[in-house]
Amino acid sequence: MRGALRIVPLILVIMIAMVPLATDNVRAETYGDFEYTVSDGTVKITKYVGSGGSVTIPSEINGMPVTSIGERVFYYCSKLTSIDIPDSVISIGSRAFYECSYLTNINIPDGITSIGNYAFYGCRSLTSIAIPDGVTIIGDYTFSGCSRLTSINIPENVTSIGSSAFKDCSYLASINIPQNVTSIGNYAFYYCSSLTSITIPDGVTIISNYAFSYCSSLTSITIGNGVTSIGDYAFFGCSKLTSITIPENVTSI
């Protein structure tokens, strides 16, 4: 009996080793300058291996629609100058265009509903960008370091602006914060030194730490009645801001 007991665990180990891992079923394929994976009949671009310049992402591969640009696909692709994204794409992964410092032109299709954190971080040659109406969250550091970005339209469906979302966008002269926004993260507009005025909607309850620090051209700000708390150094370095009206609901500064 003792010998049999020793054999049973050995059999279990062999059986477990014979079970294939689920990740083995997902294998990257190559199509032109792209690597991709397939899931449920749709394609996710996982890597770009080209030389940059003007790039067009295919709308379909082998008859299957391209619906996603994965994480870090164009990560540090400094020679990328323009990108054409097909209408079939609905999501852009985190750090997808991280530090694409010479990217000057990009179209984001109307069908996009998700843009990941750091997606356009350090794209310092971008001057304008249109966010589709289906996007509801602007994540952390999404446009941070886009220093030449002069204008951006935030759609009405956006409810949250993440930490450092527009940090160091020093050329950004104007921005709309939609009425549906309820939260603005730490450092969200830090060092947006060209901003001259801003209106915070009533739905926002907290102006987070350093949210508008070093907005040195800011002369006018309207704080919505829903704000109850103003964080540390929220307006630090706003040297041209001569007056501000604090709502009655504010209980903490």
Short mmCIF file of all heavy atoms in Angstrom, two decimals, residues 200-232:
data_model
loop_
_atom_site.label_atom_id
_atom_site.label_comp_id
_atom_site.label_asym_id
_atom_site.label_seq_id
_atom_site.Cartn_x
_atom_site.Cartn_y
_atom_site.Cartn_z
N ILE A 200 -14.86 74.70 -14.69
CA ILE A 200 -15.01 73.39 -14.09
C ILE A 200 -16.51 73.14 -13.88
O ILE A 200 -17.17 73.90 -13.18
CB ILE A 200 -14.26 73.31 -12.75
CG1 ILE A 200 -12.76 73.55 -12.98
CG2 ILE A 200 -14.49 71.96 -12.07
CD1 ILE A 200 -11.95 73.67 -11.72
N PRO A 201 -17.06 72.08 -14.49
CA PRO A 201 -18.50 71.85 -14.42
C PRO A 201 -18.99 71.48 -13.02
O PRO A 201 -18.21 71.08 -12.15
CB PRO A 201 -18.73 70.70 -15.40
CG PRO A 201 -17.42 70.01 -15.49
CD PRO A 201 -16.37 71.06 -15.30
N ASP A 202 -20.31 71.60 -12.82
CA ASP A 202 -20.92 71.37 -11.52
C ASP A 202 -20.78 69.92 -11.05
O ASP A 202 -20.83 69.65 -9.85
CB ASP A 202 -22.40 71.73 -11.56
CG ASP A 202 -22.62 73.23 -11.69
OD1 ASP A 202 -21.69 73.99 -11.37
OD2 ASP A 202 -23.71 73.64 -12.13
N GLY A 203 -20.59 68.99 -11.98
CA GLY A 203 -20.51 67.58 -11.61
C GLY A 203 -19.23 67.20 -10.89
O GLY A 203 -19.16 66.19 -10.20
N VAL A 204 -18.19 68.04 -11.05
CA VAL A 204 -16.90 67.77 -10.39
C VAL A 204 -17.02 68.11 -8.91
O VAL A 204 -17.47 69.20 -8.54
CB VAL A 204 -15.76 68.58 -11.04
CG1 VAL A 204 -14.47 68.41 -10.27
CG2 VAL A 204 -15.59 68.16 -12.50
N THR A 205 -16.59 67.19 -8.04
CA THR A 205 -16.65 67.42 -6.60
C THR A 205 -15.29 67.74 -5.99
O THR A 205 -15.22 68.40 -4.96
CB THR A 205 -17.25 66.20 -5.87
OG1 THR A 205 -16.44 65.05 -6.15
CG2 THR A 205 -18.67 65.94 -6.34
N ILE A 206 -14.23 67.26 -6.63
CA ILE A 206 -12.88 67.48 -6.08
C ILE A 206 -11.96 68.03 -7.16
O ILE A 206 -11.87 67.47 -8.26
CB ILE A 206 -12.30 66.16 -5.53
CG1 ILE A 206 -13.15 65.63 -4.37
CG2 ILE A 206 -10.87 66.37 -5.05
CD1 ILE A 206 -12.71 64.26 -3.89
N ILE A 207 -11.27 69.11 -6.85
CA ILE A 207 -10.17 69.58 -7.68
C ILE A 207 -8.90 69.00 -7.05
O ILE A 207 -8.52 69.38 -5.94
CB ILE A 207 -10.10 71.12 -7.73
CG1 ILE A 207 -11.40 71.67 -8.35
CG2 ILE A 207 -8.91 71.58 -8.56
CD1 ILE A 207 -11.47 73.18 -8.34
N SER A 208 -8.28 68.06 -7.72
CA SER A 208 -7.22 67.26 -7.11
C SER A 208 -5.91 68.04 -6.96
O SER A 208 -5.74 69.14 -7.49
CB SER A 208 -6.98 66.00 -7.95
OG SER A 208 -8.14 65.21 -8.00
N ASN A 209 -4.98 67.41 -6.25
CA ASN A 209 -3.68 68.02 -5.99
C ASN A 209 -2.96 68.41 -7.28
O ASN A 209 -2.92 67.62 -8.23
CB ASN A 209 -2.79 67.05 -5.21
CG ASN A 209 -3.38 66.66 -3.87
OD1 ASN A 209 -4.20 67.38 -3.31
ND2 ASN A 209 -2.96 65.52 -3.35
N TYR A 210 -2.44 69.63 -7.31
CA TYR A 210 -1.63 70.13 -8.43
C TYR A 210 -2.39 70.14 -9.76
O TYR A 210 -1.77 70.23 -10.83
CB TYR A 210 -0.36 69.29 -8.61
CG TYR A 210 0.63 69.34 -7.46
CD1 TYR A 210 0.54 68.43 -6.41
CD2 TYR A 210 1.65 70.29 -7.43
CE1 TYR A 210 1.44 68.47 -5.35
CE2 TYR A 210 2.56 70.34 -6.38
CZ TYR A 210 2.45 69.42 -5.34
OH TYR A 210 3.35 69.46 -4.29
N ALA A 211 -3.70 70.07 -9.73
CA ALA A 211 -4.49 69.92 -10.96
C ALA A 211 -4.19 71.01 -11.99
O ALA A 211 -4.10 70.72 -13.19
CB ALA A 211 -5.98 69.91 -10.64
N PHE A 212 -4.02 72.25 -11.55
CA PHE A 212 -3.76 73.36 -12.46
C PHE A 212 -2.47 74.11 -12.10
O PHE A 212 -2.30 75.28 -12.46
CB PHE A 212 -4.95 74.32 -12.48
CG PHE A 212 -6.24 73.69 -12.95
CD1 PHE A 212 -7.15 73.19 -12.03
CD2 PHE A 212 -6.51 73.57 -14.30
CE1 PHE A 212 -8.33 72.58 -12.46
CE2 PHE A 212 -7.68 72.96 -14.73
CZ PHE A 212 -8.59 72.47 -13.81
N SER A 213 -1.57 73.46 -11.42
CA SER A 213 -0.32 74.11 -11.04
C SER A 213 0.48 74.57 -12.26
O SER A 213 0.53 73.88 -13.28
CB SER A 213 0.55 73.15 -10.23
OG SER A 213 0.06 73.01 -8.92
N TYR A 214 1.07 75.74 -12.14
CA TYR A 214 1.91 76.33 -13.18
C TYR A 214 1.17 76.57 -14.49
O TYR A 214 1.78 76.59 -15.56
CB TYR A 214 3.16 75.48 -13.42
CG TYR A 214 4.09 75.44 -12.23
CD1 TYR A 214 4.18 74.32 -11.42
CD2 TYR A 214 4.86 76.57 -11.91
CE1 TYR A 214 5.02 74.31 -10.32
CE2 TYR A 214 5.69 76.56 -10.81
CZ TYR A 214 5.77 75.43 -10.01
OH TYR A 214 6.60 75.42 -8.91
N CYS A 215 -0.13 76.78 -14.39
CA CYS A 215 -0.87 77.30 -15.55
C CYS A 215 -0.67 78.81 -15.51
O CYS A 215 -1.56 79.58 -15.10
CB CYS A 215 -2.35 76.92 -15.47
SG CYS A 215 -2.67 75.16 -15.72
N SER A 216 0.50 79.24 -15.91
CA SER A 216 0.96 80.60 -15.66
C SER A 216 0.24 81.68 -16.47
O SER A 216 0.37 82.87 -16.16
CB SER A 216 2.47 80.69 -15.92
OG SER A 216 2.78 80.23 -17.22
N SER A 217 -0.52 81.28 -17.51
CA SER A 217 -1.29 82.25 -18.29
C SER A 217 -2.75 82.31 -17.88
O SER A 217 -3.54 83.07 -18.45
CB SER A 217 -1.19 81.92 -19.78
OG SER A 217 0.13 82.02 -20.25
N LEU A 218 -3.12 81.49 -16.90
CA LEU A 218 -4.52 81.40 -16.49
C LEU A 218 -4.94 82.68 -15.78
O LEU A 218 -4.39 83.06 -14.74
CB LEU A 218 -4.70 80.21 -15.54
CG LEU A 218 -6.12 79.78 -15.18
CD1 LEU A 218 -6.87 79.31 -16.42
CD2 LEU A 218 -6.09 78.67 -14.14
N THR A 219 -5.93 83.37 -16.38
CA THR A 219 -6.43 84.62 -15.80
C THR A 219 -7.85 84.48 -15.27
O THR A 219 -8.28 85.29 -14.45
CB THR A 219 -6.40 85.75 -16.83
OG1 THR A 219 -7.21 85.38 -17.97
CG2 THR A 219 -4.98 86.03 -17.31
N SER A 220 -8.56 83.46 -15.73
CA SER A 220 -9.95 83.30 -15.33
C SER A 220 -10.28 81.84 -15.10
O SER A 220 -9.89 80.98 -15.90
CB SER A 220 -10.87 83.87 -16.42
OG SER A 220 -12.23 83.58 -16.16
N ILE A 221 -10.99 81.57 -14.01
CA ILE A 221 -11.44 80.21 -13.74
C ILE A 221 -12.81 80.25 -13.08
O ILE A 221 -13.06 81.08 -12.20
CB ILE A 221 -10.42 79.45 -12.86
CG1 ILE A 221 -10.84 77.99 -12.70
CG2 ILE A 221 -10.23 80.11 -11.51
CD1 ILE A 221 -9.76 77.10 -12.16
N THR A 222 -13.68 79.39 -13.56
CA THR A 222 -15.01 79.25 -12.97
C THR A 222 -15.10 77.88 -12.32
O THR A 222 -14.93 76.86 -13.00
CB THR A 222 -16.11 79.39 -14.04
OG1 THR A 222 -15.99 80.67 -14.68
CG2 THR A 222 -17.50 79.25 -13.42
N ILE A 223 -15.35 77.86 -11.02
CA ILE A 223 -15.44 76.61 -10.29
C ILE A 223 -16.91 76.26 -10.08
O ILE A 223 -17.68 77.05 -9.54
CB ILE A 223 -14.72 76.71 -8.93
CG1 ILE A 223 -13.24 77.06 -9.15
CG2 ILE A 223 -14.84 75.41 -8.15
CD1 ILE A 223 -12.45 77.25 -7.87
N GLY A 224 -17.30 75.06 -10.52
CA GLY A 224 -18.68 74.63 -10.41
C GLY A 224 -19.14 74.49 -8.97
O GLY A 224 -18.33 74.27 -8.06
N ASN A 225 -20.45 74.61 -8.76
CA ASN A 225 -21.02 74.56 -7.42
C ASN A 225 -20.92 73.20 -6.76
O ASN A 225 -21.11 73.07 -5.56
CB ASN A 225 -22.50 75.00 -7.46
CG ASN A 225 -22.64 76.48 -7.79
OD1 ASN A 225 -21.82 77.29 -7.36
ND2 ASN A 225 -23.66 76.82 -8.55
N GLY A 226 -20.61 72.16 -7.55
CA GLY A 226 -20.51 70.83 -6.99
C GLY A 226 -19.20 70.57 -6.26
O GLY A 226 -19.08 69.60 -5.50
N VAL A 227 -18.20 71.44 -6.46
CA VAL A 227 -16.89 71.24 -5.84
C VAL A 227 -16.99 71.40 -4.33
O VAL A 227 -17.49 72.41 -3.82
CB VAL A 227 -15.85 72.21 -6.42
CG1 VAL A 227 -14.54 72.13 -5.63
CG2 VAL A 227 -15.60 71.90 -7.88
N THR A 228 -16.48 70.39 -3.60
CA THR A 228 -16.48 70.44 -2.14
C THR A 228 -15.06 70.46 -1.57
O THR A 228 -14.86 70.78 -0.41
CB THR A 228 -17.22 69.23 -1.55
OG1 THR A 228 -16.58 68.02 -2.00
CG2 THR A 228 -18.68 69.21 -2.01
N SER A 229 -14.08 70.11 -2.41
CA SER A 229 -12.71 70.04 -1.91
C SER A 229 -11.73 70.51 -2.98
O SER A 229 -11.84 70.14 -4.15
CB SER A 229 -12.37 68.59 -1.50
OG SER A 229 -11.03 68.47 -1.11
N ILE A 230 -10.77 71.32 -2.58
CA ILE A 230 -9.71 71.79 -3.46
C ILE A 230 -8.39 71.28 -2.90
O ILE A 230 -8.03 71.56 -1.75
CB ILE A 230 -9.69 73.33 -3.56
CG1 ILE A 230 -11.03 73.82 -4.16
CG2 ILE A 230 -8.53 73.80 -4.44
CD1 ILE A 230 -11.17 75.33 -4.20
N GLY A 231 -7.66 70.49 -3.68
CA GLY A 231 -6.48 69.79 -3.22
C GLY A 231 -5.25 70.67 -3.05
O GLY A 231 -5.24 71.86 -3.40
N ASP A 232 -4.19 70.04 -2.55
CA ASP A 232 -2.93 70.73 -2.31
C ASP A 232 -2.35 71.30 -3.60
O ASP A 232 -2.31 70.62 -4.63
CB ASP A 232 -1.91 69.77 -1.70
CG ASP A 232 -2.34 69.25 -0.33
OD1 ASP A 232 -3.19 69.89 0.29
OD2 ASP A 232 -1.81 68.19 0.08
#
